[in-house]
Amino acid sequence: MSQKILLTAKEVTIILNRLACQLIEKHLDFSNTVLIGLQPRGKFLAQRIQHILKTEYQLQNIPLGFLDITFFRDDFRRGDKPLEANKTQIDFLVENKKVVFIDDVLYTGRSINAALTAIQSFGRPSEVELLTLIDRRFSRHLPIQPDYRGRQVDAINGEKVKVCWLENEGEEGVYLITN
């Protein structure tokens, strides 16, 4: 198994700041916008984006939630190992709000499809957008594209993209792993 670095910690930081600026361009003061990190790995990216918006751009009232999509996936009964659900933490309604889903890697699009179904339990958004750090553009099973992307990666099916977060793995970076 080999590992190639796609993004260093410095490059991740630069991309996160660019993504935050793109969100500001579209949503200005976030008065009608909520950020929702998709569990488990989108949580770290969502927290980092919100932190940048608060500290670098002094935007204080940005609702942030975390959505577990485990049992909304179309393939949740197909695996051999038992599923481990995460906790949904959304303490606000999304009715008539602009929702920005945040996930680390967009691969087949199935997670986003599940998130679109799951979010309906919290109201009907006026608009839904997708922000992703890595877009594996040639692996899509569903016609889903990100509105905001950090980097496009052309990875073939045997390759895996691994995003490491300082808060979780103790290091920051994005790697392409080949078996």
Side-chain angles (χ1 to χ4, degrees), residues 132-143:
T132 185
L133 181 62
I134 302 294
D135 175 12
R136 288 187 59 166
R137 64 182 175 161
F138 295 134
S139 306
R140 213 79 75 238
H141 294 175
L142 300 170

Side-chain angles (χ1 to χ4, degrees), residues 69 73-75 107-115 141-142 144:
I69 57 165
R73 291 184 56 93
D74 62 358
D75 60 353
Y107 182 31
T108 63
R110 294 190 184 282
S111 294
I112 306 308
N113 189 47
H141 294 175
L142 300 170
I144 293 173

Side-chain angles (χ1 to χ4, degrees), residues 23-36 50 53 61-65 92-102 125-129 148:
L23 286 172
I24 292 169
E25 287 175 11
K26 175 80 185 273
H27 299 280
L28 301 174
D29 64 356
F30 289 80
S31 60
N32 198 37
T33 303
V34 300
L35 304 179
I36 298 186
Q50 185 197 42
L53 292 169
N61 298 316
I62 305 170
L64 173 63
F92 47 84
L93 292 176
V94 299
E95 189 72 31
N96 295 319
K97 297 282 187 187
K98 293 178 183 175
V99 171
V100 180
F101 284 144
I102 300 176
S126 64
E127 183 179 325
V128 177
E129 295 179 331
Y148 313 93

Side-chain angles (χ1 to χ4, degrees), residues 12 14-27 30 33-39 41-53 62 64 98-107 111-112 115-116 127-136 140 144-152 163 165:
V12 169
I14 291 167
I15 288 171
L16 294 182
N17 279 284
R18 177 174 50 81
L19 291 169
C21 288
Q22 289 175 341
L23 286 172
I24 292 169
E25 287 175 11
K26 175 80 185 273
H27 299 280
F30 289 80
T33 303
V34 300
L35 304 179
I36 298 186
L38 301 185
Q39 293 276 31
R41 311 238 359 128
K43 176 180 180 177
F44 304 110
L45 177 56
Q47 288 171 325
R48 291 285 296 279
I49 293 287
Q50 185 197 42
H51 178 75
I52 291 168
L53 292 169
I62 305 170
L64 173 63
K98 293 178 183 175
V99 171
V100 180
F101 284 144
I102 300 176
D103 206 2
D104 61 347
V105 179
L106 175 59
Y107 182 31
S111 294
I112 306 308
L116 289 166
E127 183 179 325
V128 177
E129 295 179 331
L130 174 60
L131 180 148
T132 185
L133 181 62
I134 302 294
D135 175 12
R136 288 187 59 166
R140 213 79 75 238
I144 293 173
Q145 301 300 322
D147 298 282
Y148 313 93
R149 78 171 52 88
R151 173 78 49 93
Q152 282 185 331
V163 178
W165 297 108

